[in-house]
Amino acid sequence: VYLAGDDPSRCKEVLKMEGPDGVPSGTAVLMYHAEKDALVGINDHLIMTRAQGPDDAGNTSILATAKLSARAEDRMLALWAAPGLLLTSSSERLVRFWNLVDDDNYVLSIEDPKVPPDDRITAISYSESKRVLCAGTQK
């Protein structure tokens, strides 16, 4: 359960991470989407939820929910590459791009034949000033 508030007297539940069966789920990623003033959460079942609030009236809302396709058994990495562009990787050979503004997604995979086929991405970083995405592997 994630709470938000702007002062001690105004605190409200914004996002509750649940699995497909409605049972509470652990959190793999929790990011603040500043441009939309929203929370983006990915749970252990790889369900991404975007939530907003509380507004001036104290209301909260779920903006979108989607089941992601990725390896669930490993740690999920996430970072913002641009306003509304979330990058994730889950010990795969690819980085997933989630354009939360246009509700679109795409992938960038390792194509280098020098990288062993069983190697996986274990770290990601992005330099906004140089517009360079780096991905580190385990081997």
Side-chain angles (χ1 to χ4, degrees):
V1 176
Y2 300 97
L3 305 173
D6 55 6
D7 68 45
S9 65
R10 243 180 57 148
C11 188
K12 183 145 184 163
E13 179 181 300
V14 175
L15 177 61
K16 188 180 214 175
M17 300 300 265
E18 296 178 338
D21 53 2
V23 174
S25 175
T27 301
V29 171
L30 185 64
M31 307 285 286
Y32 177 65
H33 185 180
E35 294 74 26
K36 296 284 185 181
D37 190 28
L39 282 177
V40 178
I42 302 173
N43 70 14
D44 290 340
H45 296 281
L46 299 179
I47 297 172
M48 179 190 291
T49 304
R50 292 184 278 161
Q52 202 168 33
D55 61 15
D56 290 338
N59 300 316
T60 63
S61 60
I62 300 296
L63 303 175
T65 301
K67 174 73 171 119
L68 307 183
S69 173
R71 291 173 51 130
E73 64 271 8
D74 294 312
R75 184 176 66 119
M76 176 73 69
L77 306 170
L79 60 86
W80 292 111
L85 184 61
L86 182 66
L87 277 58
T88 63
S89 184
S90 180
S91 293
E92 300 173 288
R93 292 180 56 84
L94 51 87
V95 176
R96 297 176 189 275
F97 294 74
W98 305 96
N99 185 330
L100 302 179
V101 175
D102 297 331
D103 202 26
D104 197 9
N105 65 79
Y106 43 97
V107 298
L108 179 63
S109 60
I110 299 173
E111 301 287 332
D112 190 338
K114 294 180 234 162
V115 177
D118 62 339
D119 204 0
R120 303 288 180 244
I121 295 172
T122 58
I124 54 175
S125 181
Y126 179 73
S127 169
E128 187 174 340
S129 63
K130 296 190 181 225
R131 298 181 48 134
V132 174
L133 172 64
C134 300
T137 63
Q138 67 188 144
K139 294 185 180 182

